[in-house]
Amino acid sequence: MLTPFSLQHAPSLMEVIFPVQRLSAEVFKERQSGSGQTLTPLGSYWKGRKPLILNKACVLGTLLPATGDDVGDLRLFERLMGMDPQALQARLRAALPRSRAPLAAEMAERYRRGELSYADLVREAKRPEEMGEGFWEGVWDEVNARLGTEARSFPELVEQLGVARYGRRPRMADPFSGSGQIPFEAARLGCDARAADLNPVACLLSWGAFHVAGCSAADAVRQEKARRELARALAREMDALGVERDGRGWRGRAYLYCLEVRCPQSGWMVPVLPTLVISEGHRVVARLVPDPVRKRYDISIEYVDAARWPEEKKRAEAQGTLPRAEKGTLVHSPDGITAYRTRMSTIRGDYRDEQGNNRNRLRPWEKEDIVPRPEDILQERLYCVQWIRETEEAGRAESQFRAVTEADLERERRVTEYVRAHLADWEAAGLLPDMKIEAGAKNDEPIRTRGWTHWRHLFNPRQLLAGAILRRHMTAETAPFVMNALNYNSKLCIWDKGRDNVQNVFYNQALNTQNNYGCRGSVFLGNVVEGRMRPCPLPEGVAAEVLNRPAEQWEEEYDFCVTDPPYGDAVNYEEIYEFFIAWMRRNPPEEFRGWVWDSRRALAVKGTGEGFRKGMVRAFRRLAENMSSGGSITLMFTHKSSALWGGWPGSSGRRGCG
């Protein structure tokens, strides 16, 4: 058994050797797993997530000692990571169908002969974290013999190494925790972990990692039931209002909306549709049917047979009123002969003021606006509904795309009037956003291109209604899933015609307004709310804490820090995630009321100049002051320019690993 502080001055494995090439293949594998990653059901919109396999490597690399036998140290590390040949073969066997299981040994032999790369094998294998506890049973005798430990699990190994280095179970710190991937993995391995971030949305994701993904098996069952009931409550309340069913057994799955504008040349109202393809899988297209009396287009929906589909798809793509080839030009032809072309910038009335600022003639929306006013330049219309109906086959539903009927429009009016009537009460109860959109590098587009002034304007009445219902029933444990549901149900959500799917708002790092968008019905949105999690219980007795504060205010003692710090050109989280803050700032669950539900832009460390460097110096100086003797800092630094970090001050006598 290792004695306390016996490794206090021993160099860590990470300072001597680190298998970057193999680890890169494992990281790529985890990244390619998409929704199969452990924490993505909580919300994949935080773009700076660090793969759990990389986090595990950093924690173990910090705690394991370098003995002077580099080959032996590396072999032990790879055994603990599940990256040695024996483990990789087991991972291959687990991933392959039983009939192909013998291929695992054959692939391993080809790898030994140099015919396959490590990445080739990893691509076909299961990830180490998918293998279960039994996968590691054969490693502990070797670990204990080499290190002098008496461990039979990762938490036991981590605690014994922590006692040998720091005199206690190791305390890990991440002062820029983001979505919490790093401290979650540290806690899962057996460290006491503290996650801190200035942004409360980051804190929410970190809290969810600890308390939802990391909860006990019994709590996981209870939480899953609570999420399922929340999704059902949403559907029940929509049913009570009678706004999602057609009276013939069909329920609205997705509602497709588009902008509609008046062509200044013809006087016609024209739907703004980049494509007339509705669904590639079901071979559905829209047809624009001119109505000369009202000078507008009706929109019919047509299913196309398989033989005609390639030609019809090509034609429907080309006949959109805002075709990609025309680069921002509205194109339509009421008689099929005369084509009118007008730049959308002209319709908006874009111009430059005397100071050279971009302006337009869109009316700025007032807070109480939930739909465009009749005189507004940009109108919106519902142009298609996807309906679903349960079939006799369990777990399957029949789907149908239809043109919009007068009954559909009446349901739309009912939703709008209901939301308008309850707007003040919901706002007072904190169920709807009341925040203005503060201008910024990434927040200007909704203001400039739509005239929206408040965060609620990014949601149509159906989306506001669903959001208010979810918000009313939300608890701390369901909060991450409710926020993720908002990410999948806004006017910024693209309708994916290839997969009949409503995509998320934050598919990239901006707030992108759409000319046409998809809105989820309650059952479709409920799939996001339920957010099926793979439980990964944290070890009993491990402390996991979330702090909503800037890094330069760190005040707790810790033993080692692993963090992914901000970069000079990083994502503008402090701007774009006001999208979520606006929904949470008033009357959050009790567990989150001590946090500051504001982006606190002025405190965010950002930029590339002297201000950024000074902010980093203050943060890491404060961290150095609170590091225990023999502690270390590991920076997950991926910026292309190391000069950006030239001002980091180091930490008097303590190690800093980059």
Side-chain angles (χ1 to χ4, degrees):
M1 186 71 172
L2 294 175
T3 59
F5 300 107
S6 58
L7 296 177
Q8 184 176 23
H9 302 295
S12 69
L13 181 71
M14 183 179 290
E15 293 176 276
V16 177
I17 190 167
F18 204 61
V20 174
Q21 188 171 4
R22 287 193 177 189
L23 193 54
S24 294
E26 299 286 354
V27 165
F28 185 77
K29 170 73 173 182
E30 183 175 331
R31 282 289 194 222
Q32 295 301 108
S33 300
S35 60
Q37 297 176 71
T38 300
L39 297 182
T40 52
L42 294 171
S44 60
Y45 47 82
W46 197 274
K47 302 303 179 183
R49 291 174 294 128
K50 288 296 182 236
L52 296 178
I53 190 75
L54 175 60
N55 304 336
K56 179 179 181 180
C58 289
V59 172
L60 291 180
T62 298
L63 296 174
L64 288 169
T67 67
D69 175 8
D70 290 353
V71 174
D73 289 346
L74 182 59
R75 182 177 185 279
L76 183 70
F77 179 76
E78 290 178 345
R79 289 277 281 153
L80 287 167
M81 293 294 298
M83 301 191 322
D84 63 291
Q86 180 182 342
L88 193 53
Q89 188 170 336
R91 290 164 56 192
L92 282 166
R93 283 197 304 270
L96 292 169
R98 182 172 298 180
S99 60
R100 299 179 61 209
L103 286 177
E106 178 185 330
M107 293 176 70
E109 177 59 24
R110 291 182 63 194
Y111 167 63
R112 190 187 66 78
R113 295 198 303 262
E115 297 172 7
L116 292 175
S117 69
Y118 183 83
D120 292 331
L121 270 62
V122 168
R123 193 177 301 117
E124 302 297 327
K126 279 198 170 187
R127 307 200 312 272
E129 67 170 322
E130 297 177 297
M131 294 298 293
E133 288 300 317
F135 178 63
W136 311 100
E137 286 180 357
V139 77
W140 299 117
D141 287 341
E142 182 180 343
V143 169
N144 294 332
R146 184 170 183 82
L147 298 179
T149 51
E150 297 177 355
R152 289 292 163 185
S153 67
F154 280 105
E156 289 180 3
L157 175 65
V158 163
E159 180 160 10
Q160 290 171 34
L161 290 174
V163 168
R165 281 196 178 276
Y166 316 113
R168 63 191 174 202
R169 178 192 297 146
R171 297 176 181 175
M172 176 270 180
D174 183 355
F176 302 101
S177 65
S179 61
Q181 302 265 135
I182 300 174
F184 171 75
E185 185 64 15
R188 188 160 65 155
L189 287 170
C191 301
D192 288 337
R194 278 197 176 95
D197 206 287
L198 176 68
N199 195 309
V201 178
C203 293
L204 175 65
L205 292 171
S206 296
W207 190 95
F210 289 152
H211 295 274
V212 180
C215 71
S216 68
D219 279 344
V221 172
R222 175 184 57 78
Q223 290 185 20
E224 183 178 352
K225 181 179 178 182
R227 295 195 299 272
R228 191 163 53 245
E229 178 51 37
L230 177 58
R232 289 172 178 170
L234 173 62
R236 281 198 306 269
E237 294 200 28
M238 287 292 193
D239 282 345
L241 294 173
V243 295
E244 281 194 342
R245 292 186 181 271
D246 71 346
R248 295 177 293 164
W250 294 83
R251 176 192 287 276
R253 176 182 182 268
Y255 300 80
L256 310 188
Y257 297 83
C258 68
L259 294 180
E260 190 172 44
V261 299
R262 189 171 300 281
C263 169
Q265 299 180 66
S266 65
W268 278 59
M269 290 297 291
V270 183
V272 183
L273 289 169
T275 176
L276 297 186
V277 176
I278 300 292
S279 170
E280 295 179 358
H282 289 87
R283 301 189 301 277
V284 181
V285 298
R287 304 286 192 205
L288 300 185
V289 182
D291 182 347
V293 175
R294 295 186 298 162
K295 284 195 170 185
R296 71 189 304 267
Y297 292 91
D298 291 329
I299 301 177
S300 64
I301 303 299
E302 178 182 322
Y303 280 78
V304 179
D305 62 63
R308 294 170 46 225
W309 177 243
E311 180 182 346
E312 287 295 325
K313 177 187 174 184
K314 184 177 180 180
R315 185 186 63 80
E317 290 279 13
Q319 290 186 349
T321 59
L322 196 70
R324 182 176 299 177
E326 296 282 352
K327 297 181 179 179
T329 298
L330 185 76
V331 181
H332 77 110
S333 177
D335 59 7
I337 300 173
T338 304
Y340 298 95
R341 286 178 166 80
T342 309
R343 298 284 296 174
M344 285 296 292
S345 57
T346 301
I347 293 172
R348 284 194 308 267
D350 290 2
Y351 68 96
R352 287 183 181 271
D353 63 18
E354 294 178 355
Q355 289 73 41
N357 300 313
N358 292 323
R359 306 289 186 189
N360 57 50
R361 307 195 187 281
L362 299 179
R363 177 187 68 87
W365 282 34
E366 296 182 8
K367 186 169 75 168
E368 290 72 23
D369 289 329
I370 58 174
V371 293
R373 295 182 184 178
E375 68 273 15
D376 283 344
I377 293 172
L378 302 179
Q379 297 292 312
E380 292 181 10
R381 70 179 285 184
L382 177 68
Y383 68 95
C384 181
V385 180
Q386 183 189 23
W387 300 89
I388 53 172
R389 180 172 63 181
E390 293 182 0
T391 64
E392 294 182 0
E393 185 178 351
R396 295 188 63 83
E398 184 181 0
S399 172
Q400 189 178 95
F401 290 91
R402 294 189 217 150
V404 175
T405 66
E406 184 55 41
D408 296 328
L409 296 178
E410 174 57 32
R411 283 186 283 271
E412 289 290 293
R413 287 189 286 268
R414 198 181 311 161
V415 171
T416 301
E417 291 309 312
Y418 185 84
V419 172
R420 188 173 281 134
H422 290 80
L423 203 60
D425 290 340
W426 289 347
E427 182 180 323
L431 304 182
L432 286 183
D434 62 353
M435 279 176 59
K436 288 192 68 173
I437 303 174
E438 184 180 344
K442 296 297 183 181
N443 288 2
D444 282 350
E445 186 171 353
I447 303 171
R448 177 175 52 83
T449 65
R450 294 295 181 267
W452 298 336
T453 59
H454 289 70
W455 287 104
R456 69 171 57 159
H457 298 152
L458 277 62
F459 303 85
N460 72 17
R462 280 190 179 274
Q463 294 163 340
L464 289 173
L465 174 58
I469 293 170
L470 292 174
R471 186 67 179 78
R472 183 169 63 249
H473 294 285
M474 184 183 75
T475 64
E477 291 172 343
T478 59
F481 302 91
V482 171
M483 293 301 102
N484 204 27
L486 297 172
N487 181 36
Y488 280 88
N489 207 36
S490 158
K491 290 196 281 189
L492 307 188
C493 291
I494 294 173
W495 170 251
D496 182 350
K497 64 185 184 298
R499 297 189 293 175
D500 296 347
N501 197 14
V502 177
Q503 298 287 28
N504 53 325
V505 172
F506 294 104
Y507 61 89
N508 65 10
Q509 301 165 4
L511 296 165
N512 302 292
T513 54
Q514 308 297 331
N515 294 299
N516 65 310
Y517 66 91
C519 168
R520 291 180 178 237
S522 60
V523 172
F524 194 14
L525 189 59
N527 294 339
V528 182
V529 174
E530 290 190 41
R532 292 167 179 79
M533 296 288 302
R534 181 169 62 87
C536 301
L538 299 186
E540 189 174 349
V542 163
E545 184 180 7
V546 178
L547 306 171
N548 178 216
R549 68 163 75 126
E552 61 189 73
Q553 294 179 14
W554 189 277
E555 57 188 29
E556 292 80 12
E557 185 183 24
Y558 67 93
D559 300 317
F560 72 97
C561 167
V562 180
T563 191
D564 174 24
Y567 310 132
D569 56 357
V571 182
N572 292 67
Y573 293 121
E574 73 281 357
E575 291 184 18
I576 59 177
Y577 289 163
E578 288 175 357
F579 176 96
F580 300 108
I581 291 172
W583 284 87
M584 288 288 287
R585 64 185 291 266
R586 299 184 63 185
N587 195 26
E590 183 65 35
E591 291 86 341
F592 311 143
R593 289 186 185 174
W595 301 348
V596 179
W597 285 99
D598 185 273
S599 60
R600 296 187 279 182
R601 294 190 190 186
L603 296 179
V605 180
K606 57 184 178 180
T608 57
E610 189 64 18
F612 172 80
R613 287 191 288 272
K614 287 182 177 179
M616 288 293 98
V617 167
R618 288 194 300 270
F620 283 96
R621 180 179 292 126
R622 188 61 176 263
L623 285 169
E625 291 169 354
N626 288 279
M627 187 191 300
S628 67
S629 178
S632 64
I633 295 176
T634 299
L635 298 183
M636 290 187 176
F637 181 59
T638 58
H639 195 275
K640 61 185 177 183
S641 172
S642 60
L644 187 66
W645 281 84
W648 187 71
S651 54
S652 57
R654 294 165 171 118
R655 294 191 305 276
C657 308

